[in-house]
Amino acid sequence: MEFEYSEKVQTLRARVEAFLAEHIYPNEEELFAQVNEGDRWQPVPLLESLKAKARTAGLWNLFLPESGYGAGLTNLEYAPLCEIMGRSPWAPEAFNCSAPDTGNMEVLVRYGTPEQRQRWLEPLLAGEIRSAFAMTEPEVASSDATNIETRIRRDGDEYIINGRKWWTSGALDPRCKIMIVMGQSDPDNPDRYRRQSMILVPLPHAGVVIKRMLPVFGYDEAPHGHAEVLFDNVRVPAANMLLGECCGFEIAQGRLGPGRIHHCMRLIGLAERALERMCRRTMTRTAFGIPISDQSVTQERIAEARIMIE
Amino acid sequence: MMDQYGNKEARAEIAMIKVAAPNMACRVIDWAMQAFGGAGVTNDYGLAYAYATARVLRLADGPDEVHRNQIARLELRKYQGPASLSGGSAETLPPDTSPGLRERPVWLA
């Protein structure tokens, strides 16, 4: 199959590529260095200035299909742009297109009330705050979301949330001001897919305890990070319920689709960059009298990598 | 698919790419690290961090196994109806109807 990019997408691709070349790649080392200075869990000043540049350049919120809030691109049009962003761990946030915010913004666009959108979606779109998505739990096999045990109990005009989550990405960032929490609101519902709800919890919040940071192969991914979070009698207004009680699975289907493919798009870019490095490295080094790039094992891997990426 | 029919209709495609992309990235980055030798596992070229990112995405947002199960379920669902139009019949044939056995070998006669 061949996908010919439209002129609009070709132009945007060139602009995103140019932005990475001019502002992201040359600054990667400095961005990591700024994280390592002092408190690792603070926003990175250089990244904030890059966000301002991307926004001014109109390279902002390029995801969000079918919505006046975004750049009006379809998923198919966004894919090649997201792919380029995936080449650097810093690029997606610079364009306000990073996980988990894109998925969470899609939830608010699709299922949020006007009040919820005004309070949380707008600052997210402006890149002023960040967000988290709390679904996975350490106590149960959360790959089957019907197992999720966190309780969301109605009490007058409020809901009370109790439970333990982990792999809540981004919760450690001080800019993270809103969390979408999945939990059981109707554990006795005969339909297993109607037991769960999703509810908005503003941060910081009484009863929400960030227990620890979870490293990934030793990387803490500061200041974003992945958190273990306890919910100890967390009370939020009933108006924070998303879409309605028992609609957790309906939202999950809408949210996880775009969030997932955004990750996949970025991974293609990440693999492209690794392949580029592999090619350049093997072309410049010689082992056993022959350039490594001319050895058949290397050529087979390069060819196989190109086939898999395509 | 997602653009034309929505995220729900595109769930098979989403599941397939969610299995394919992280595995592809892990393999390519792994080869790149191998090509770099010891330098590949340092922080100098970002490959180790890239591998961590790609590897965790075989778990995050649904592990490979869950997506594969869903892909298989959706695939199996396609074949609930009769196979007469698609030529995909897999029924056990009655004795002596197999084309190769019309003429019985002498030693069976």
Side-chain angles (χ1 to χ4, degrees), chain A residues 116 152 159 185 197-200 237-245:
Chain A
Q116 291 169 349
I152 302 176
Y159 284 98
S185 51
S197 299
M198 282 194 199
I199 196 160
L200 293 162
N240 284 20
M241 180 59 70
L242 272 166
L243 190 59
E245 263 187 50

Side-chain angles (χ1 to χ4, degrees), chain A residues 74-76 89 110 143 219 221 253-254 258 260-261 263-264 267 270-271 274 277-278 281 301 304 308-309, chain B residues 2-3 7-8 17-18 21-22 24 27-28 31-32 34 36 39 43 45 48-50 55 57 61 63 66-67:
Chain A
T74 63
N75 285 301
L76 191 60
R110 280 165 205 261
S143 54
Y219 291 100
E221 299 187 46
Q253 275 192 330
R260 275 174 190 151
I261 64 147
H263 277 308
C264 295
L267 284 176
L270 195 64
R277 285 199 203 265
M278 172 158 72
R281 180 77 167 192
R301 283 183 186 168
E304 198 62 31
M308 290 196 298
I309 291 172
Chain B
M2 294 174 73
D3 291 323
N7 298 332
K8 201 175 168 190
I17 192 69
K18 180 60 182 57
M24 174 279 290
R27 190 108 186 256
V28 173
W31 282 337
Q34 200 69 15
F36 272 73
N43 288 346
Y45 300 96
Y49 184 41
R55 183 61 184 82
L57 281 165
D61 269 358
V66 167
H67 296 301

Side-chain angles (χ1 to χ4, degrees), chain B residues 79-103:
Chain B
Y79 309 113
Q80 300 296 315
S84 52
L85 293 177
S86 46
S89 172
E91 279 169 41
T92 306
L93 300 179
D96 297 330
T97 58
S98 171
L101 283 180
R102 285 269 155 75
E103 287 172 37

Side-chain angles (χ1 to χ4, degrees), chain A residues 31-149:
Chain A
L31 285 159
F32 280 115
Q34 287 196 359
V35 172
N36 290 330
E37 277 167 20
D39 183 356
R40 298 171 59 74
W41 301 95
Q42 288 302 318
V44 186
L46 178 55
L47 185 58
E48 294 301 314
S49 74
L50 294 178
K51 279 164 71 175
K53 283 201 177 84
R55 196 174 184 185
T56 313
L59 300 171
W60 192 254
N61 295 334
L62 297 168
F63 68 107
L64 268 183
E66 307 157 38
S67 163
Y69 287 111
L73 300 174
T74 63
N75 285 301
L76 191 60
E77 291 172 320
Y78 174 58
L81 310 176
C82 188
E83 181 185 318
I84 300 166
M85 294 176 199
R87 294 178 63 95
S88 170
W90 300 102
E93 191 181 341
F95 299 108
N96 211 38
C97 292
S98 54
D101 295 334
T102 57
N104 291 338
M105 285 189 262
E106 293 230 18
V107 167
L108 288 164
V109 168
R110 280 165 205 261
Y111 309 109
T113 64
E115 292 75 30
Q116 291 169 349
R117 290 205 296 260
Q118 194 206 340
R119 184 153 169 216
W120 291 297
L121 175 62
E122 287 179 18
L124 274 171
L125 287 165
E128 290 160 5
I129 66 167
R130 299 211 58 192
S131 61
F133 186 73
M135 183 164 132
T136 305
E137 298 180 357
E139 314 269 0
V140 294
S142 311
S143 54
D144 174 357
T146 60
N147 285 335
I148 300 290
E149 282 177 345

Side-chain angles (χ1 to χ4, degrees), chain A:
Chain A
M1 268 195 288
E2 196 170 312
F3 298 104
E4 190 81 23
Y5 297 131
S6 69
E7 216 179 297
K8 175 172 77 170
V9 173
Q10 282 183 26
T11 312
L12 277 169
R13 254 173 66 97
R15 290 177 56 210
V16 172
E17 269 172 354
F19 193 93
L20 262 80
E22 192 180 343
H23 301 294
I24 303 285
Y25 302 138
N27 280 319
E28 281 181 329
E29 216 172 303
E30 175 60 19
L31 285 159
F32 280 115
Q34 287 196 359
V35 172
N36 290 330
E37 277 167 20
D39 183 356
R40 298 171 59 74
W41 301 95
Q42 288 302 318
V44 186
L46 178 55
L47 185 58
E48 294 301 314
S49 74
L50 294 178
K51 279 164 71 175
K53 283 201 177 84
R55 196 174 184 185
T56 313
L59 300 171
W60 192 254
N61 295 334
L62 297 168
F63 68 107
L64 268 183
E66 307 157 38
S67 163
Y69 287 111
L73 300 174
T74 63
N75 285 301
L76 191 60
E77 291 172 320
Y78 174 58
L81 310 176
C82 188
E83 181 185 318
I84 300 166
M85 294 176 199
R87 294 178 63 95
S88 170
W90 300 102
E93 191 181 341
F95 299 108
N96 211 38
C97 292
S98 54
D101 295 334
T102 57
N104 291 338
M105 285 189 262
E106 293 230 18
V107 167
L108 288 164
V109 168
R110 280 165 205 261
Y111 309 109
T113 64
E115 292 75 30
Q116 291 169 349
R117 290 205 296 260
Q118 194 206 340
R119 184 153 169 216
W120 291 297
L121 175 62
E122 287 179 18
L124 274 171
L125 287 165
E128 290 160 5
I129 66 167
R130 299 211 58 192
S131 61
F133 186 73
M135 183 164 132
T136 305
E137 298 180 357
E139 314 269 0
V140 294
S142 311
S143 54
D144 174 357
T146 60
N147 285 335
I148 300 290
E149 282 177 345
T150 291
R151 282 286 278 127
I152 302 176
R153 204 177 281 110
R154 180 86 188 217
D155 182 41
D157 293 339
E158 294 180 318
Y159 284 98
I160 309 172
I161 307 164
N162 280 290
R164 181 180 170 203
K165 299 282 186 186
W166 73 348
W167 296 112
T168 305
S169 304
L172 293 131
D173 190 316
R175 294 166 301 167
C176 181
K177 298 294 182 203
I178 186 68
M179 190 186 274
I180 299 176
V181 181
M182 188 166 183
Q184 292 197 11
S185 51
D186 186 8
D188 303 319
N189 196 312
D191 181 351
R192 287 174 69 79
Y193 294 94
R194 300 280 303 164
R195 290 178 190 171
Q196 311 277 351
S197 299
M198 282 194 199
I199 196 160
L200 293 162
V201 178
L203 294 177
H205 198 289
V208 178
V209 186
I210 310 284
K211 285 298 281 184
R212 58 170 175 154
M213 166 283 288
L214 300 161
V216 175
F217 289 107
Y219 291 100
D220 62 6
E221 299 187 46
H224 181 67
H226 313 280
E228 180 171 336
V229 189
L230 288 185
F231 296 84
D232 180 16
N233 284 313
V234 175
R235 288 179 168 269
V236 295
N240 284 20
M241 180 59 70
L242 272 166
L243 190 59
E245 263 187 50
C246 307
C247 295
F249 274 91
E250 194 181 332
I251 302 171
Q253 275 192 330
R255 184 216 181 269
L256 296 174
R260 275 174 190 151
I261 64 147
H262 294 166
H263 277 308
C264 295
M265 296 168 187
R266 286 188 284 266
L267 284 176
I268 295 172
L270 195 64
E272 283 279 9
R273 193 171 178 192
L275 175 58
E276 178 178 341
R277 285 199 203 265
M278 172 158 72
C279 291
R280 290 186 190 279
R281 180 77 167 192
T282 54
M283 282 191 290
T284 54
R285 296 178 72 114
T286 296
F288 309 106
I290 318 164
I292 296 174
S293 60
D294 289 356
Q295 300 183 12
S296 63
V297 174
T298 309
Q299 294 196 338
E300 189 160 330
R301 283 183 186 168
I302 289 169
E304 198 62 31
R306 172 49 63 207
I307 292 165
M308 290 196 298
I309 291 172
E310 295 300 318

